[in-house]
Amino acid sequence: MKYRLFCSDFDGTLVRADGTISNETKKEIARYTEAGGIFTVVTGRMTSSILPRVREFMEEGIVVAYQGAVIADLKTGRLLKNACFEEADALRAVRLLEEGNHHIHVYTDEGLFVNRRDEMLNEYERICGVTGTVKAEKLSDWLIKTRPPVVKILVMIEPEKRLALKDELQKKLGETYFVTCSNDWLVELMPAGQDKGSAIRFLSEYFGVPKGEIGAIGDQLNDLPMLKEAGGKFAVSNAQEELKNIATVVKSCEEDGVAEALMIAREGK
């Protein structure tokens, strides 16, 4: 086996536009694991959103959520890693986003909290299978009052504006934050160092698999740190160009690209 551990992004990579995972891809995941491989989903989704989806085709294993900040045992839900923002850093980011009148999501151990309800939020909830709690007060005031541990902060924005906002936030917030895009209409903020690359390093140590024997596949900018750390770099054909420039390009998510990459990982060709 060429890659003994394989890490796959979820949305836009493993799951199709209609929210399903093809039977062929599920079968190839089973072939890979039966041959001794370790298959892991690495996503920006909330833990509560991704665990039920992975349990549709796997009973045991490890799942990485929140861009690498949270890592959980698939069967029990037990957390192996649970990182979050420093209180001051979370508050600073939320205040900056409030100044720009953005649509903001704040993720804590207790759930998803938002500053407005609109069609974008309704669609997000439908796709992810979660429900956001709309706060009547400013999210920054709520953070000061309740001081919850914040795992991730997200902005929902029109696709044509997302890259400009990503660059603006990274410039204003600096190296204490990791700012990325996980979808055409999402900009995500994490503590620096909590990205999918950190997940590869954690999994390499946890399973005792050298990074050169780890394969990874994705489609969006938030997958770049993961691909850069992995020995086997794969991108679905619907991926952003930045990924395709450094990876082996396989079929699209609609055409079982993950299954194709897993065959390469398993058969070494």
Side-chain angles (χ1 to χ4, degrees):
M1 183 173 289
K2 189 172 185 179
Y3 301 115
R4 294 193 287 133
L5 171 60
F6 197 91
C7 300
S8 175
D9 172 52
F10 193 70
D11 295 287
T13 302
L14 182 62
V15 67
R16 299 178 292 191
D18 64 359
T20 64
I21 301 168
S22 76
N23 288 331
E24 180 54 38
T25 295
K26 291 178 181 179
K27 289 177 182 178
E28 188 54 45
I29 292 170
R31 295 186 192 104
Y32 176 77
T33 56
E34 287 167 3
I38 303 165
F39 183 82
T40 303
V41 170
V42 181
T43 180
R45 284 198 186 202
M46 299 171 65
T47 314
S48 60
S49 172
I50 194 60
L51 285 178
R53 295 305 316 271
V54 178
R55 286 169 179 157
E56 294 174 10
F57 58 91
M58 289 176 58
E59 295 182 356
E60 297 182 343
I62 301 297
V63 175
V64 178
Y66 288 117
Q67 307 293 359
V70 176
I71 300 179
D73 180 89
L74 176 61
K75 188 173 184 178
T76 65
R78 180 175 65 91
L79 298 185
L80 307 177
K81 177 185 176 184
N82 188 21
C84 60
F85 278 102
E86 296 290 334
E87 286 184 16
D89 291 337
L91 182 59
R92 180 183 171 214
V94 169
R95 280 176 167 165
L96 177 61
L97 294 172
E98 287 175 338
E99 289 174 5
N101 194 32
H102 291 293
H103 181 151
I104 309 165
H105 290 192
V106 173
Y107 300 79
T108 78
D109 290 342
E110 297 183 356
L112 166 61
F113 301 89
V114 303
N115 65 336
R116 69 182 66 159
R117 177 162 293 283
D118 54 21
E119 285 305 314
M120 284 199 295
L121 177 59
N122 293 339
E123 182 68 4
Y124 181 88
E125 291 175 331
R126 183 191 67 79
I127 293 171
C128 296
V130 298
T131 300
T133 300
V134 181
K135 305 302 293 185
E137 60 191 319
K138 292 173 65 175
L139 285 173
S140 57
D141 292 340
W142 172 72
L143 287 176
I144 292 171
K145 183 169 61 179
T146 60
R147 303 177 64 184
V150 176
V151 184
K152 183 175 80 169
I153 299 167
L154 179 149
V155 185
M156 304 189 77
I157 191 167
E158 295 87 345
E160 65 272 15
K161 298 179 181 179
R162 68 165 186 150
L163 292 179
L165 178 63
K166 168 187 170 294
D167 293 343
E168 175 191 349
L169 292 175
Q170 190 69 76
K171 182 178 179 180
K172 289 182 176 179
L173 292 170
E175 295 182 356
T176 309
Y177 303 78
F178 170 58
V179 185
T180 189
C181 296
S182 58
N183 183 285
D184 289 344
W185 38 287
L186 302 179
V187 177
E188 303 199 13
L189 289 73
M190 300 293 301
Q194 301 303 330
D195 57 34
K196 293 189 179 186
S198 70
I200 294 291
R201 296 189 293 273
F202 180 97
L203 294 169
S204 174
E205 181 175 352
Y206 183 84
F207 288 112
V209 177
K211 288 192 291 183
E213 297 180 28
I214 298 176
I217 187 169
D219 73 309
Q220 282 285 347
L221 298 178
N222 63 318
D223 298 315
L224 271 174
M226 176 170 69
L227 266 62
K228 289 179 178 178
E229 288 285 340
K233 311 174 197 300
F234 298 89
V236 285
S237 62
N238 54 285
Q240 298 290 306
E241 289 301 319
E242 289 90 338
L243 276 72
K244 292 194 282 188
N245 288 339
I246 66 168
T248 298
V249 179
V250 294
K251 296 175 183 177
S252 73
C253 65
E254 303 293 331
E255 303 170 306
D256 300 330
V258 171
E260 181 183 354
L262 282 171
M263 289 180 63
I264 297 171
R266 180 168 56 87
E267 299 175 359
K269 57 183 179 180

